[in-house]
Amino acid sequence: MSRRTTLGTLFISIAAIAAGYAGAFSKSGAPTWAPWLLALGIPVALGAIMVLGALRGNSGIGALRFPFALVILILAIGFGAALALPAADGPVSKLWLGLPPRAAIVIYGIGLLPIIILPIAYAMTFEEMTLSAADLERVRAIGRANELIERDNAKDPRRSISND
């Protein structure tokens, strides 16, 4: 995925979230499509933010694409399942690991599964995704060059940029 595609995806997902919230403020009550826009927009927005954080130049996100896709899928299915299940009107007869089904999906599926998957994925791709020695030296060289420029600007006030 390119940075441009990811930013476009993030924009569309945030627009879906905004439309879902706007629908909730309707005088006749929230339309049935509003929570579904949120259930789809939130996981896609989170996924786009994860991809933006992991992108390095033109090389993409490498092996992280599979765990990221899995997390987005888990979140979308979890939100969708929580919306699709009927609300518990009477006494709760069946609990899932001590919680009503909707709460269990939100806590265990949406809350815990990504917390397990993402750290393992980052640990497995650490060597591939972190800066190499050549990258680190390039960053240091840029830093040294910027220090020299700032030093020269401090010595010669005509070179510094003023706010006047």
Side-chain angles (χ1 to χ4, degrees):
M1 267 184 130
S2 70
R3 189 171 304 277
R4 176 173 281 186
T5 304
T6 306
L7 285 171
T9 303
L10 180 60
F11 178 79
I12 291 168
S13 63
I14 290 175
I17 293 168
Y21 275 115
F25 289 107
S26 171
K27 288 184 181 181
S28 60
T32 57
W33 51 264
W36 291 100
L37 278 180
L38 292 167
L40 183 62
I42 291 170
V44 173
L46 290 172
I49 292 168
M50 288 188 306
V51 169
L52 282 174
L55 277 175
R56 282 187 58 210
N58 295 329
S59 64
I61 60 172
L64 286 175
R65 67 182 173 273
F66 298 116
F68 283 4
L70 180 63
V71 166
I72 294 167
L73 188 65
I74 287 170
L75 292 175
I77 290 171
F79 282 126
L83 282 174
L85 285 174
D89 292 333
V92 179
S93 60
K94 186 172 185 180
L95 297 178
W96 295 1
L97 298 172
L99 293 171
R102 290 173 124 185
I105 289 171
V106 171
I107 299 293
Y108 302 132
I110 296 170
L112 290 180
L113 278 178
I115 290 174
I116 295 168
I117 294 169
L118 289 175
I120 293 170
Y122 281 121
M124 292 177 70
T125 60
F126 182 78
E127 291 294 324
E128 174 189 340
M129 298 302 291
T130 55
L131 291 175
S132 66
D135 293 335
L136 190 56
E137 185 53 41
R138 192 182 81 240
V139 169
R140 287 181 178 150
I142 292 170
R144 286 190 295 269
N146 284 338
E147 278 182 12
L148 291 174
I149 291 170
E150 287 178 12
R151 223 178 271 147
D152 288 345
N153 287 342
K155 289 179 184 175
D156 187 1
R158 293 176 293 165
R159 293 176 122 184
S160 64
I161 300 172
S162 67
N163 292 332
D164 297 336

